[in-house]
């Protein structure tokens, strides 16, 4: 019997796949003409968004070359808004027949969530499209690409689904600061904060990133699911059911009777994930930078911004986002 997806990306043999065309050869000339800003990573302004320079050619290749399958699910997020958690939950939900969540040998107990679901920026930058194509359906894939820059085949046709997660920008900026400090110990919080305020933060402006997915979820609710980290944290089980239903894998009465949802919530919970050996050691090997697994699990709470952001700074950030979101029905 042919394997059904999703399977952990890392488990697929790297073997004999040939490398795709180098996106730097294809799009490098275009990228060097784009406005450039030295931030934590160098950014390039493309169609209104500051793309991390090392990934810009790969994002363009993803946009032009990716062919979705009708049953693909694209997991999208603004960075530091719960990507790792969403990846874990979506994988656990979609793969629950092959990998029961309570099983001791569940892939998420031996692999970091980023090793289970491929990150498009990295796949296209590293020319690993053949491996992506080899995955059995349904596939789960992940990107931070803004909605307006997604492949047209994803946003207008193809039939695949998109799940987006965002978060209170104040908690995002604190999370981003701590994450980036793993790469740049000297980074100041005020520089990180200012980059969110002026929109030059990687994949920024954050408000436009959120709004793109929000509007899409309003106009195409059957295709785009919009989640908030805070809601997920408040009632994880309810949102896991919502996610499963949206992805076309609702829980049956028999599964409910067996507490499958609770098992998934527990498997993917912050405390469980953070304390797994695999997440305390090792690193995710991305082209941009290798990131230590433990850097993806810090506090996992709502409101940690209060320990870093002064009331005046909070008001400034809130005012900008309220202003940008006015009339969108989002807050
Ligand atoms: P904090 O830095 O506020 O703790 P991303 O995965 O998009 O990089 O987001 C990282 C944020 O999600 C971090 O927030 C991290 O601690 C939190 N996180 C990671 N795994 C989580 C989980 N299983 N449950 C809740 N939060 C989680």
């Amino acid at each position: 019997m042919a394997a059904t997806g999703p399977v952990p990306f890392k488990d697929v043999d790297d073997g004999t796949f040939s490398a795709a065309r180098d996106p730097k050869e294809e799009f490098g000339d275009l990228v060097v003409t784009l406005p450039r800003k030295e931030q934590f990573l160098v950014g390039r302004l493309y169609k209104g968004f500051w793309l991390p320079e090392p990934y810009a050619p790969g994002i363009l290749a993803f946009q032009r070359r990716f062919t979705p399958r009708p049953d693909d699910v694209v997991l999208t997020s603004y960075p530091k808004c719960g990507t790792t958690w969403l990846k874990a939950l979506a994988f656990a939900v979609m793969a629950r027949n092959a990998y029961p969540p309570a099983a001791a040998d569940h892939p998420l107990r031996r692999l970091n969530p980023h090793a289970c679901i491929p990150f498009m920026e990295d796949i296209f930058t590293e020319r690993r499209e053949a491996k992506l194509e080899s995955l059995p359906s349904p596939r789960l894939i992940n990107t931070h690409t803004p909605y307006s820059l997604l492949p047209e085949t994803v946003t207008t046709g193809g039939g695949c689904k998109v799940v987006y997660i965002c978060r209170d920008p104040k908690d995002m900026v604190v999370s981003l600061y701590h994450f980036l400090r793993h790469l740049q110990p000297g980074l100041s919080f005020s520089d990180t904060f200012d980059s969110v305020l002026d929109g030059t933060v990687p994949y920024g402006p954050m408000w436009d990133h959120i709004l793109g997915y929000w509007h899409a979820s309003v106009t195409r609710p059957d295709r785009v699911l919009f989640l908030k980290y805070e809601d997920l944290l408040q009632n994880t089980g309810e949102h896991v059911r919502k996610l499963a239903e949206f992805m076309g894998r609702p829980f049956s009465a028999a599964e409910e009777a067996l507490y499958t949802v609770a098992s998934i919530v527990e498997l993917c919970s912050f405390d469980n994930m953070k304390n797994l050996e695999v997440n305390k050691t090792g690193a995710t090997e991305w082209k941009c930078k290798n990131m230590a697994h433990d850097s993806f699990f810090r506090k996992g709470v709502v409101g940690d911004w209060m320990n870093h952001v002064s009331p005046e700074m909070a008001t400034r950030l809130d005012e900008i986002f309220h202003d940008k979101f006015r009339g969108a029905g989002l807050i």
Side-chain angles (χ1 to χ4, degrees), residues 70 147 154 157-163 216-217 220-225 246:
Y147 188 79
V154 170
C160 71
K161 295 187 174 177
V162 175
V163 181
S217 74
R220 306 174 70 219
D222 55 326
R223 296 283 141 201
V224 183
L225 177 66
F246 177 79

Side-chain angles (χ1 to χ4, degrees), residues 119-149:
F119 179 43
M120 290 303 98
E121 282 83 328
D122 207 63
I123 293 294
F124 280 81
T125 302
E126 296 280 45
R127 308 162 63 190
R128 302 174 81 197
E129 289 149 70
K131 180 166 172 176
L132 183 66
E133 285 309 314
S134 81
L135 291 178
S137 293
R139 297 180 300 184
L140 290 171
I141 66 166
N142 163 241
T143 184
H144 293 312
T145 302
Y147 188 79
S148 59
L149 299 184

Side-chain angles (χ1 to χ4, degrees), residues 54-71:
Y55 279 147
I59 292 172
L60 292 173
F62 169 52
Q63 184 189 49
R64 317 273 166 101
R65 293 211 292 258
F66 178 68
T67 310
R69 300 179 194 158
D71 52 4

Side-chain angles (χ1 to χ4, degrees), residues 45-123:
L45 183 64
Y46 181 68
K47 299 200 173 173
F49 288 96
W50 286 97
L51 305 180
E53 184 179 61
Y55 279 147
I59 292 172
L60 292 173
F62 169 52
Q63 184 189 49
R64 317 273 166 101
R65 293 211 292 258
F66 178 68
T67 310
R69 300 179 194 158
D71 52 4
D72 281 343
V73 179
V74 187
L75 305 174
T76 61
S77 59
Y78 196 80
K80 310 322 296 170
C81 289
T83 322
T84 315
W85 192 17
L86 177 63
K87 280 173 129 170
L89 288 170
F91 182 85
V93 166
M94 289 292 277
R96 67 188 188 269
N97 287 341
Y99 307 113
D105 62 351
H106 193 284
L108 286 170
R109 295 190 211 281
R110 64 178 165 84
L111 294 172
N112 177 270
H114 295 287
C116 290
I117 299 178
F119 179 43
M120 290 303 98
E121 282 83 328
D122 207 63
I123 293 294

Side-chain angles (χ1 to χ4, degrees), residues 282-300:
T284 295
E285 289 165 16
W286 281 331
K287 176 79 176 174
C288 222
K289 283 275 182 231
N290 287 354
M291 290 307 309
H293 288 156
D294 66 359
S295 66
F296 292 103
F297 305 93
R298 193 182 61 92
K299 283 197 172 173

Side-chain angles (χ1 to χ4, degrees), residues 232-255:
L232 206 56
L233 204 60
Q234 194 175 25
N235 192 338
T236 313
E238 181 194 310
H239 286 85
V240 166
R241 286 189 184 88
K242 201 169 166 179
L243 180 64
E245 193 150 336
F246 177 79
M247 296 192 298
R249 296 274 178 95
F251 292 96
S252 66
E255 287 181 309

